[in-house]
Amino acid sequence: MALDSYFFCPGGRDKKIRFCCPDKLKELDQIDSMLTGGQMAACLTFIEQLEKKYSDCACLDSAKCMVLRTLGRWDEALEVAQKFSSREPENIVAKTELAINQAALKMNAESIATLVDAIELNKKGQMNQAILFAMFAVGRCLLEDGFIVSAVAIAKQLQSYMPGKRETAELLNLCIASPDYPLFLKEQNIEQNCSEDFPEKTAFYEAILSLKTGYWKKGLQKLESLLPLGQKWPYLYRIVAIVRLWFNDFKGCVELLKQFIAELSQSDPDLEDIIDAQTLLLYLDHPRLFRHNEGMVLEQTDFFGDKINVNLWTYPVNNFDAVLEQLLSMPTLDIIGDETTISRQDEEHPAPKKIFAILNQPFPEIGETATFENTPYFQGVLSLFGAETDRPARIELNPIPIYKDLVLDFIQNKLGTMLGEPSQKTLTQNSWTDIKAVRRFHYRSFEIPSEEKEFELYEKYLENVFVNDWIQHSFKNLDDQSPEIAAQKPEYCSKIQAFLNILEMRIHPRLAEKIINNIRLRLNLESPKAILLPDELSRANIQTLMAETPVWRWHRIDYSKFPTSELFPLLQIVHFLRDEKSIFKLASELLNRPMSAMKQEERSAAFSLLISYYLDYEAFEDALLCIAKARNESEELKRSDAQWNLSELIVYGQKKDMRRFSDMMQHLTTEHKKEPEIMQQLQSFLIRWGIINPDGTVNRMSSSGPNQPSFSASNANITQSKPSELWTPESEKSSSQAGNSKLWVPD
């Protein structure tokens, strides 16, 4: 479709082509055709030819930016966008092009500031689509680069402009679904009721309104003007800190969070809001999330200040055969590979002759029951290399850092004079806490215990070893004190509680709450209390309670007194936010209510989410009991039980119980073959597990059953946005006169 002279100028000058650049209509139409046909290189050449004839043309600048972006020539696109924006500082398209290119090149703070400038330039009642596209593009870049707080803020802003649109919900879905970040980091809200005695309540709410409508700079400026009154209402510091974080102003955010903690600590040092602020402060020191050095994202995390080196020691070997004989005779070494099983990097770097796991004690006698006391654990790896053209035979020793001294002493005592002087190099760094939290049990290949038995051993290790070691370990972020010592000083208690918030994410979810409460008890720290309900549980009171309670605390609410009609909407919210504890509590409460009190679809969704929860926690027997209850209700209602049979199949797959897996497969394919939705889900799972190929043929490489089975609540009847391709303005039909033009025309 040819461009019309009454289309708006694609360069963002807020004029129709007829009144902006009527002499270029034919050329713009030709550019549009090239873009539609994907002729990017030819289009760029054509634009550059036109630039010689038409200087300072917004239409050509915007088209050139688009083409350069499509070709991945970001540095050139940035240069064009910078000149475009500098020449036309009030042009929204110029600003959005600049913001997109800055974000793509990791100029994160600059891209956010430029994007906000573009939003604040918009004077129309409806949001300009160039801004919507830029918000999605910038938000996606920030998310991929680890700036989750800024990305979520942009995603929420985007959704507020076009509520209900799949494309605008997609970015928020991506942010919330990201597994690398805890919920509290994704839900840093600024909405809070102002203190009744705060003298500038009106100004505060005006600032919040500016922020909610996208005028971030104006809103921040208004809030900062109120900061001298922060002592009267300390939450002002926290709110301004979060907004500064939206702009990637980490230094400013940290300063205000410290003020918030200091002011609030004077009135109530045990307040949970202080602990949350301390937790956020620890995350602000998370290199992957927030620290950049010359544009490169730094690696590793040091929440606790407990980094230790992972080192490699290399010992020359004087007599290869004697060393090998000695190693083979040691009962605390277990062969885990050799040159026939380990692929070598290249001809110049042959694989080791033998690779041994270093154990703390010999294996128990064959047939002896595995216990916490007699099961050896893994302390490191020893690789024995033969002589090479330019290198003598050698041992490479890679101990787990917390066992370094034990391993080095063991090798020196056992091999002594057979080894030359060692050389050492640092491979990486790791957290002492993360290393210590993993008990590396080791078994004979033919005596591997059941998963439940192994889990029982791990639980005993956490209770009997890890807790004691952790509370006695000195942490840099506690001023080189142990939690046991620091907990005796009130000024450290909230930081230790913040430590525990992070530590909880590093322990198996089935055990995390139990172990963290054990540590709190040992340190005489308070555990989180149940959240009190209002005297009257009207719908308005429930909405107020949920709005004022951070989502990550919802699992501590007693839902037994809530009307049934209020439970499912809350379950939808926590399902979207992936808050597992609240999902468990709300779904369980729903299923305790009479079947007649809710829609059957809602009840089925609750069953599905509860089963998913049990599978995530590897609580297989609980999952099977839940499935049995769901199946009984389906039979009582004379409905198909296919989805529960499918869920049972998933349980057996995840348990690697291949006999029952095969039986249920047979049942599904014979009894439910006329239910296309179930067959489609079954096929999807089998493809994901690698049992069949996408074309439906059997995967011959997968003879042992499911590889990585995982349950998805896709059969839960809870509305959620489906992932889509990257949304662009061209993918949405413009409501303007632009019709189907590939060269996007702004409002």
Side-chain angles (χ1 to χ4, degrees):
M1 178 179 176
L3 287 175
D4 191 295
S5 63
Y6 286 95
F7 288 178
F8 276 96
C9 168
R13 285 182 174 166
D14 204 24
K15 296 179 183 178
K16 295 181 180 179
I17 296 174
R18 176 184 178 89
F19 305 109
C20 178
C21 38
D23 54 333
K24 296 187 280 294
L25 183 61
K26 182 178 178 182
E27 288 87 344
L28 292 177
D29 192 42
Q30 190 169 345
I31 291 172
D32 187 54
S33 297
M34 289 181 174
L35 292 173
T36 303
Q39 300 171 290
M40 296 301 168
C43 186
L44 180 60
T45 301
F46 182 59
I47 290 170
E48 289 173 342
Q49 291 172 352
L50 292 175
E51 285 178 324
K52 297 174 183 177
K53 181 179 178 182
Y54 304 110
S55 61
D56 299 340
C57 177
C59 301
L60 297 181
D61 283 339
S62 62
K64 189 172 185 179
C65 283
M66 182 189 299
V67 173
L68 289 170
R69 281 195 282 108
T70 305
L71 294 172
R73 293 161 63 172
W74 292 101
D75 290 323
E76 296 172 64
L78 176 64
E79 185 179 351
V80 173
Q82 285 172 331
K83 291 179 180 177
F84 186 15
S85 179
S86 177
R87 190 181 72 243
E88 301 191 21
E90 302 295 313
N91 189 316
I92 290 177
V93 170
K95 290 291 184 190
T96 54
E97 284 293 345
L98 180 57
I100 292 168
N101 285 281
Q102 288 170 330
L105 293 171
K106 301 185 184 301
M107 301 167 64
N108 298 299
E110 295 91 337
S111 69
I112 295 169
T114 305
L115 177 63
V116 173
D117 285 339
I119 293 172
E120 295 189 352
L121 282 172
N122 186 55
K123 309 298 182 189
K124 296 187 175 182
Q126 64 181 37
M127 186 50 61
N128 188 301
Q129 286 197 24
I131 294 174
L132 298 177
F133 175 53
M135 290 175 75
F136 187 93
V138 171
R140 185 69 180 265
C141 288
L142 290 168
L143 175 62
E144 291 174 354
D145 207 23
F147 294 88
I148 184 71
V149 177
S150 301
V152 169
I154 290 173
K156 288 183 175 180
Q157 196 75 71
L158 183 62
Q159 195 174 34
S160 72
Y161 290 145
M162 297 180 69
K165 285 280 187 178
R166 176 174 57 84
E167 294 85 355
T168 56
E170 182 179 347
L171 178 59
L172 188 57
N173 280 340
L174 290 171
C175 292
I176 296 300
S178 179
D180 298 327
Y181 312 105
L183 178 59
F184 92 92
L185 202 63
K186 302 170 186 176
E187 277 293 294
Q188 287 293 335
N189 290 322
I190 57 166
E191 294 186 53
Q192 186 161 347
N193 289 329
C194 189
S195 172
E196 287 298 325
D197 58 357
F198 188 66
E200 294 289 345
K201 284 174 59 177
T202 301
F204 170 77
Y205 287 121
E206 286 176 353
I208 295 298
L209 181 61
S210 293
L211 293 169
K212 290 172 67 176
T213 52
Y215 290 77
W216 289 6
K217 288 186 177 180
K218 292 179 180 177
L220 179 58
Q221 187 177 11
K222 290 177 183 177
L223 286 177
E224 289 180 332
S225 70
L226 301 177
L227 280 177
L229 301 172
Q231 289 182 336
K232 295 182 180 294
W233 186 50
Y235 284 90
L236 184 62
Y237 295 129
R238 186 190 68 83
I239 292 168
V240 179
I242 293 169
V243 179
R244 284 185 175 176
L245 198 52
W246 292 359
F247 285 96
N248 284 18
D249 177 9
F250 308 113
K251 183 179 179 181
C253 176
V254 166
E255 289 173 354
L256 286 171
L257 283 177
K258 288 179 177 178
Q259 278 186 276
F260 171 70
I261 292 167
E263 290 291 339
L264 222 55
S265 296
Q266 294 179 19
S267 58
D268 186 353
D270 295 324
L271 202 63
E272 270 194 273
D273 292 335
I274 298 175
I275 297 169
D276 288 343
Q278 287 280 19
T279 309
L280 181 56
L281 275 177
L282 290 174
Y283 266 94
L284 291 178
D285 199 32
H286 184 317
R288 180 171 179 266
L289 287 173
F290 297 113
R291 295 298 171 86
H292 283 60
N293 180 21
E294 297 178 358
M296 298 299 291
V297 180
L298 300 179
E299 296 180 354
Q300 301 301 326
T301 304
D302 199 13
F303 291 122
F304 310 110
D306 64 348
K307 283 293 180 186
I308 50 179
N309 289 334
V310 179
N311 292 322
L312 179 72
W313 277 264
T314 302
Y315 294 83
V317 168
N318 301 325
N319 186 327
F320 176 86
D321 292 332
V323 168
L324 177 58
E325 183 179 356
Q326 180 73 353
L327 294 175
L328 291 172
S329 70
M330 296 181 191
T332 54
L333 295 185
D334 183 36
I335 298 174
I336 56 176
D338 57 33
E339 59 186 337
T340 65
T341 60
I342 304 296
S343 60
R344 55 190 178 184
Q345 297 176 2
D346 52 57
E347 293 296 332
E348 296 182 1
H349 298 86
K353 299 295 184 182
K354 296 287 182 185
I355 302 176
F356 298 89
I358 305 170
L359 309 179
N360 72 313
Q361 62 181 337
F363 288 114
E365 295 296 322
I366 294 176
E368 189 176 343
T369 302
T371 66
F372 173 68
E373 290 74 23
N374 70 12
T375 303
Y377 57 84
F378 180 77
Q379 293 184 315
V381 174
L382 185 155
S383 301
L384 177 63
F385 290 82
E388 300 168 23
T389 305
D390 57 346
R391 300 183 69 177
R394 68 191 187 278
I395 279 177
E396 288 187 355
L397 199 60
N398 184 204
I400 295 173
I402 55 176
Y403 305 124
K404 178 196 70 174
D405 293 337
L406 292 173
V407 169
L408 293 180
D409 289 346
F410 168 76
I411 294 299
Q412 290 287 358
N413 292 335
K414 293 295 183 181
L415 300 178
T417 58
M418 298 182 184
L419 305 177
E421 286 297 316
S423 60
Q424 172 192 345
K425 69 175 180 178
T426 299
L427 301 177
T428 182
Q429 281 195 323
N430 210 327
S431 161
W432 178 91
T433 297
D434 289 352
I435 294 171
K436 194 69 180 176
V438 179
R439 176 72 167 192
R440 295 168 171 82
F441 293 107
H442 201 77
Y443 314 96
R444 288 189 178 98
S445 59
F446 54 86
E447 286 190 328
I448 297 174
S450 67
E451 290 183 8
E452 283 303 313
K453 180 62 178 178
E454 190 170 12
F455 190 82
E456 178 189 323
L457 296 176
Y458 173 60
E459 182 177 7
K460 288 184 177 179
Y461 163 73
L462 289 176
E463 292 177 335
N464 299 332
V465 178
F466 174 75
V467 169
N468 191 62
D469 288 355
W470 193 84
I471 65 175
Q472 294 183 14
H473 184 74
S474 296
F475 293 103
K476 180 180 176 182
N477 287 349
L478 290 177
D479 297 329
D480 294 318
Q481 300 174 97
S482 69
E484 190 172 42
I485 299 300
Q488 300 173 30
K489 306 170 185 178
E491 63 269 26
Y492 287 100
C493 289
S494 62
K495 179 173 278 192
I496 296 172
Q497 292 275 29
F499 271 28
L500 296 179
N501 283 343
I502 294 171
L503 179 59
E504 187 172 3
M505 303 168 201
R506 278 152 169 68
I507 298 174
H508 193 287
R510 277 174 67 184
L511 299 173
E513 189 171 1
K514 178 181 179 180
I515 297 303
I516 296 303
N517 284 336
N518 189 346
I519 293 175
R520 286 195 177 105
L521 185 64
R522 291 278 302 273
L523 298 178
N524 199 27
L525 297 173
E526 286 193 7
S527 295
K529 298 181 178 67
I531 293 172
L532 297 177
L533 301 178
D535 293 334
E536 274 191 41
L537 270 180
S538 65
R539 184 170 190 181
N541 286 344
I542 289 174
Q543 291 176 346
T544 301
L545 172 69
M546 306 314 286
E548 293 180 349
T549 305
V551 177
W552 58 87
R553 298 180 193 164
W554 282 15
H555 67 279
R556 286 159 39 204
I557 295 174
D558 178 7
Y559 294 106
S560 63
K561 298 178 182 178
F562 278 47
T564 302
S565 59
E566 298 296 329
L567 294 177
F568 190 73
L570 296 177
L571 181 59
Q572 288 179 297
I573 293 171
V574 296
H575 170 56
F576 172 71
L577 295 173
R578 280 72 168 177
D579 180 9
E580 291 183 346
K581 289 182 180 179
S582 295
I583 288 173
F584 173 77
K585 194 157 188 179
L586 281 159
S588 298
E589 182 59 41
L590 267 170
L591 296 175
N592 284 335
R593 305 291 175 94
M595 291 172 56
S596 58
M598 69 199 77
K599 296 178 181 176
Q600 187 56 37
E601 291 75 14
E602 295 178 359
R603 197 166 181 86
S604 293
F607 272 121
S608 293
L609 290 175
L610 195 56
I611 295 165
S612 176
Y613 171 88
Y614 286 135
L615 286 176
D616 286 343
Y617 282 59
E618 299 175 3
F620 301 125
E621 296 310 313
D622 289 330
L624 290 171
L625 288 173
C626 190
I627 290 168
K629 183 178 178 182
R631 184 184 286 117
N632 289 339
E633 289 192 7
S634 294
E635 291 174 359
E636 186 178 335
L637 294 169
K638 299 188 178 349
R639 297 174 64 131
S640 170
D641 62 354
Q643 71 179 101
W644 313 124
N645 292 332
L646 183 60
S647 296
E648 189 170 336
L649 176 83
I650 295 164
V651 174
Y652 296 141
Q654 202 158 322
K655 284 185 69 176
K656 296 183 172 58
D657 184 341
M658 300 321 300
R659 182 181 64 80
R660 288 188 173 89
F661 182 88
S662 298
D663 290 345
M664 185 53 69
M665 270 277 293
Q666 181 68 28
H667 177 78
L668 277 164
T669 52
T670 55
E671 298 297 322
H672 301 291
K673 61 184 178 182
K674 294 183 179 180
E675 299 179 53
E677 184 179 347
I678 293 298
M679 290 297 100
Q680 186 177 359
Q681 289 183 40
L682 176 60
Q683 183 182 27
S684 175
F685 286 126
L686 295 179
I687 291 171
R688 188 184 310 167
W689 287 337
I691 295 176
I692 64 174
N693 300 312
D695 62 0
T697 58
V698 175
N699 184 351
R700 300 298 178 188
M701 300 297 291
S702 178
S703 58
S704 59
N707 296 321
Q708 293 180 322
S710 60
F711 180 79
S712 168
S714 58
N715 55 343
N717 298 316
I718 290 185
T719 303
Q720 57 183 24
S721 296
K722 296 179 181 178
S724 68
E725 296 180 354
L726 180 64
W727 171 72
T728 65
E730 295 88 357
S731 68
E732 175 106 11
K733 225 174 185 181
S734 174
S735 59
S736 70
Q737 300 174 13
N740 293 318
S741 171
K742 184 71 178 176
L743 181 58
W744 169 69
V745 180
D747 299 325

